[in-house]
Amino acid sequence: MIEVLLLVVLIASVVQYVRIRRTMSFARNLPSVEPCYPIIGNGLLFLGQSDEKRFVNVNTALSHPAKLFKMWIGFVPMICTNDTNMAQKILTHPDCMQKPYFYDFFKLEYGVFSAHYDIWKGQRKALNPTFNQKIINGFIPIFDTCAQNLTKRLMNHKTVQIIPFIQRCTLEMVCATTIGTDLNRQEGADKLSYLIDKIFHFVSRRILSVFIHLEYVYRLTQDYRTEQRIRKEAYKYANEILRDVRARKATETIESNDGDEFRKPQIFIDQLLNHQIGKKFEEMEIIHNVYTMITAGSDTSGNEMGYVSLMLAMHPGLQEKVYREIMTVFPGSSDPIITPEALKQLQYTEMFIKESMRLFPVGPNILRTPIKDVDLDGLIVPKGTFLCISIFNAHRRKEVWGPNADKFDPENFSPERVEGRHPFAYLTFSGGTRNCIGSRYAMFSLKIMSIHLVRNFKLRTNAHIEDLQFKFDAMLRLSTEPEISLERRRTGAKNAEGGELRPLVTS
Ligand code: HEM
Ligand SMILES: *[C@@H]1O[C@H](CO)[C@@H](O)[C@H](O)[C@H]1NC(C)=O
Ligand SMILES: *[C@@H]1O[C@H](CO)[C@@H](O)[C@H](O)[C@H]1NC(C)=O
């Protein structure tokens, strides 16, 4: 069996190698990331390394000082850039809106994140309005309740690894705002997120092992069988949840005949099911987009808020500044009434969050693949080539961010400094028409979590920025999360004794 597998892999590899070499001759004169060998390419950077070492190696490779350079992952070639204008060109080029074939491994090809260009185009146009400012304003009460729940849960702890708590909170937020499901009532949704996580684990593994990229080779592996089993279970839960949502919607339509149609915020699923958005979504598109939003919206903001919390804990002076601003906008000790206008006033808090996202962008690399040959400053890049923009590197380039690019400094986002900067220098939410659809949603939820955290606790940690290590993953994940100590603040503590509003959780 193993011999057959090896032979299949070998033949497939040679065929692929010869084919790709021919089309890749355009890149012959581009500098290459080293060390590089025939057939395995830059594979030594990944093979047999720990996840931490892989992160460092890939990141160092992607910091190569050239406007255009190439990197090989197995025999798959990738063109990368160190240049802001080039990044803009790629991210805004109409023929570069497609993602490489291995996004298909997520098997969410009818969801907007991994869909091929032709499907993506119509979906994205239809979905953009579902993230407009009015709708996101309507989510504020949901973000608020979930963030209050987060601080309640934290009150039982003196020191914590905070990210799992926050992830739970962002998952509650995204379930409530996309499918209207209260995670605390619906067992299925909780289970579903666990299953989706598992699926992503298998997909990431497969993306890194070029030898199992080919579907018929992958099918011979144990991973494939396990992944299939998990998927089956996940789809079962997803269908149950969707059935519940549909049943609920049916009763709501009857109720809303009393003329009270606007009492609830229009959540994502309502818009998909009601076809209010100018495009009829097929069953599969609805399921894939619900999955997409839950995954794209929870783990991302969850980890990002983890980085914000760590930065608050590491910089007590700046934390006080954030605290003072929050107390100025929301004075008094009772629960603040959060409005869009008040959120806008939190300018320093926003600078603080943006700076955290600069140093720790949860989507560290973006990949694209042109659907036609494209001209990048005179270099004709054939369709099907991979293009890569390393956001992590772009955010730490001294030429752009100055000699202290590695230091944490919210003043990087003062109005004066922002004004003088290239619009594509800061790419936390990517750029162009295939950027993050949830960027405003994320900013609101991060601000609201910050309000509740900082009003209730003083955060401290012994860790330093230089201590943070990352794992190689599609997302920027810490290899070990430092502990944060939480000291109750008076403002919050007084609240918590208010009984009904903020009962202490005793578990
Ligand atoms: C701080 C939090 C977040 C960060 C840093 C972030 C970052 C990103 C980045 C870099 C991309 C581009 C990925 C690529 O090109 O492969 C992206 C895409 C996307 N994000 Fe986010 N995101 C965040 C939160 C959210 C939230 C809260 C949602 C939804 C509620 C969301 C939904 C999406 C979707 C659907 C896409 C795919 C868009 C498309 O391909 O048209 N994200 N995000
Ligand atoms: C990018 O690489 C070019 C050489 O190709 C170099 O001249 C330039 O300074 C680099 N730019 C940045 C921002 O690193
Ligand atoms: C907040 O937490 C309480 C108790 O854990 C739970 O019953 C409630 O459903 C939560 N609310 C939300 C919106 O998650």
Side-chain angles (χ1 to χ4, degrees):
M1 184 64 195
I2 190 80
E3 289 86 351
V4 176
L5 180 66
L6 282 176
L7 191 67
V8 171
V9 170
L10 189 72
I11 293 170
S13 307
V14 171
V15 170
Q16 192 86 332
Y17 181 69
V18 170
R19 197 173 60 83
I20 287 172
R21 268 289 141 135
R22 214 181 309 132
T23 58
M24 285 311 287
S25 58
F26 83 95
R28 203 184 299 123
N29 296 324
L30 289 184
S32 167
V33 164
E34 299 295 335
C36 182
Y37 299 101
I39 309 221
I40 62 160
N42 302 108
L44 289 188
L45 294 173
F46 320 99
L47 290 172
Q49 308 276 6
S50 68
D51 283 342
E52 290 78 13
K53 192 80 178 112
R54 264 191 218 161
F55 177 85
V56 172
N57 286 349
V58 171
N59 218 48
T60 312
L62 292 176
S63 68
H64 191 91
K67 197 166 171 187
L68 285 172
F69 58 96
K70 61 176 185 259
M71 182 170 174
W72 299 85
I73 300 164
F75 37 71
V76 186
M78 188 163 81
I79 307 298
C80 323
T81 180
N82 79 342
D83 184 77
T84 312
N85 282 316
M86 190 61 82
Q88 176 169 25
K89 192 155 199 172
I90 294 168
L91 290 175
T92 55
H93 199 298
D95 295 330
C96 295
M97 289 301 148
Q98 180 135 308
K99 298 183 181 178
Y101 70 84
F102 43 71
Y103 282 71
D104 294 353
F105 301 167
F106 290 109
K107 299 209 164 69
L108 289 175
E109 60 272 35
Y110 297 104
V112 72
F113 174 77
S114 42
H116 287 209
Y117 177 73
D118 38 343
I119 296 178
W120 169 80
K121 197 166 185 271
Q123 283 198 352
R124 179 70 193 235
K125 204 167 150 218
L127 292 180
N128 275 337
T130 68
F131 283 86
N132 73 26
Q133 195 62 56
K134 202 172 138 230
I135 286 177
I136 291 167
N137 289 348
F139 292 160
I140 290 179
I142 297 176
F143 293 157
D144 195 17
T145 320
C146 295
Q148 286 182 34
N149 265 5
L150 167 65
T151 48
K152 269 187 235 160
R153 290 181 188 131
L154 287 171
M155 282 191 188
N156 299 324
H157 301 268
K158 289 238 163 341
T159 55
V160 283
Q161 290 185 314
I162 202 167
I163 292 176
F165 287 87
I166 299 173
Q167 273 173 327
R168 168 78 196 196
C169 174
T170 53
L171 184 64
E172 283 174 10
M173 286 176 175
V174 87
C175 285
T177 53
T178 56
I179 50 178
T181 296
D182 182 349
L183 260 198
N184 297 291
R185 303 229 165 83
Q186 188 132 10
E187 239 172 275
D190 210 0
K191 179 94 186 189
L192 181 63
S193 81
Y194 162 79
L195 293 168
I196 293 176
D197 253 25
K198 290 280 273 195
I199 294 170
F200 269 61
H201 167 77
F202 280 104
V203 172
S204 303
R205 243 168 55 168
R206 184 173 174 203
I207 288 176
L208 277 186
S209 322
V210 285
F211 297 112
I212 49 172
H213 276 198
L214 292 164
E215 187 68 22
Y216 58 88
V217 178
Y218 186 53
R219 279 175 189 238
L220 300 172
T221 65
Q222 180 61 42
D223 272 15
Y224 170 79
R225 285 188 288 275
T226 317
E227 191 193 312
Q228 282 305 100
R229 189 169 45 72
I230 296 169
R231 276 186 189 279
K232 222 166 134 190
E233 204 184 340
Y235 291 142
K236 201 185 79 193
Y237 275 107
N239 288 339
E240 274 171 26
I241 291 170
L242 276 176
R243 215 174 30 237
D244 278 4
V245 173
R246 286 210 161 97
R248 194 180 63 229
K249 281 206 60 66
T251 56
E252 269 172 17
T253 326
I254 297 164
E255 278 169 21
S256 70
N257 282 344
D258 358 3
D260 189 17
E261 275 177 56
F262 298 101
R263 91 208 115 91
K264 286 192 126 190
Q266 275 291 323
I267 56 169
F268 186 72
I269 191 81
D270 297 331
Q271 318 219 16
L272 283 181
L273 293 178
N274 291 351
H275 318 309
Q276 290 165 331
I277 50 186
K279 174 186 186 301
K280 190 177 178 310
F281 278 77
E282 303 297 334
E283 184 75 12
M284 210 46 173
E285 291 184 291
I286 292 172
I287 294 175
H288 281 199
N289 274 305
V290 166
Y291 268 105
T292 297
M293 290 308 158
I294 291 177
T295 9
S298 60
D299 229 12
T300 47
S301 355
N303 277 285
E304 200 62 83
M305 189 61 209
Y307 292 118
V308 174
S309 310
L310 280 167
M311 291 307 105
L312 286 165
M314 284 180 193
H315 303 94
L318 304 180
Q319 184 183 156
E320 275 316 290
K321 219 170 149 181
V322 172
Y323 175 71
R324 278 202 304 275
E325 181 182 75
I326 288 172
M327 292 314 290
T328 310
V329 177
F330 303 104
S333 59
S334 56
D335 272 321
I337 310 280
I338 299 179
T339 62
E341 295 70 34
L343 287 178
K344 205 174 277 165
Q345 287 173 40
L346 295 179
Q347 303 245 316
Y348 187 76
T349 308
E350 183 162 325
M351 285 161 60
F352 192 99
I353 293 171
K354 283 185 172 161
E355 177 67 352
S356 308
M357 298 198 290
R358 176 182 74 86
L359 285 177
F360 310 104
V362 287
N365 302 301
I366 303 181
L367 297 172
R368 294 292 173 81
T369 183
I371 51 171
K372 291 186 190 140
D373 296 0
V374 295
D375 181 343
L376 295 181
D377 279 10
L379 182 76
I380 307 298
V381 176
K383 76 174 205 189
T385 314
F386 297 159
L387 301 169
C388 170
I389 291 156
S390 168
I391 298 178
F392 190 91
N393 272 292
H395 284 182
R396 290 169 182 241
R397 222 164 260 140
K398 298 210 167 32
E399 293 84 346
V400 177
W401 301 92
N404 293 326
D406 290 330
K407 294 247 153 56
F408 182 83
D409 179 11
E411 296 307 320
N412 277 323
F413 291 92
S414 67
E416 310 81 68
R417 285 205 212 166
V418 169
E419 206 186 339
R421 196 175 295 134
H422 194 293
F424 278 66
Y426 184 61
L427 289 172
T428 284
F429 294 111
S430 179
T433 45
R434 201 159 190 178
N435 65 350
C436 176
I437 204 173
S439 60
R440 278 184 297 192
Y441 177 114
M443 199 62 201
F444 266 32
S445 89
L446 293 177
K447 268 189 178 171
I448 291 173
M449 285 186 281
S450 301
I451 293 170
H452 286 286
L453 265 189
V454 170
R455 279 175 63 94
N456 282 286
F457 304 106
K458 265 187 194 156
L459 290 77
R460 293 285 182 270
T461 183
N462 294 326
H464 302 278
I465 287 193
E466 309 77 64
D467 304 336
L468 300 178
Q469 283 199 333
F470 306 97
K471 285 192 276 205
F472 186 77
D473 193 298
M475 289 221 332
L476 187 69
R477 286 186 209 274
L478 285 168
S479 118
T480 27
E481 192 196 333
E483 290 207 317
I484 291 180
S485 73
L486 299 169
E487 184 193 324
R488 290 274 284 274
R489 285 193 192 261
R490 287 243 163 137
T491 25
K494 186 151 173 264
N495 259 335
E497 282 145 21
E500 270 174 33
L501 270 181
R502 261 170 204 267
L504 280 170
V505 177
T506 45
S507 60

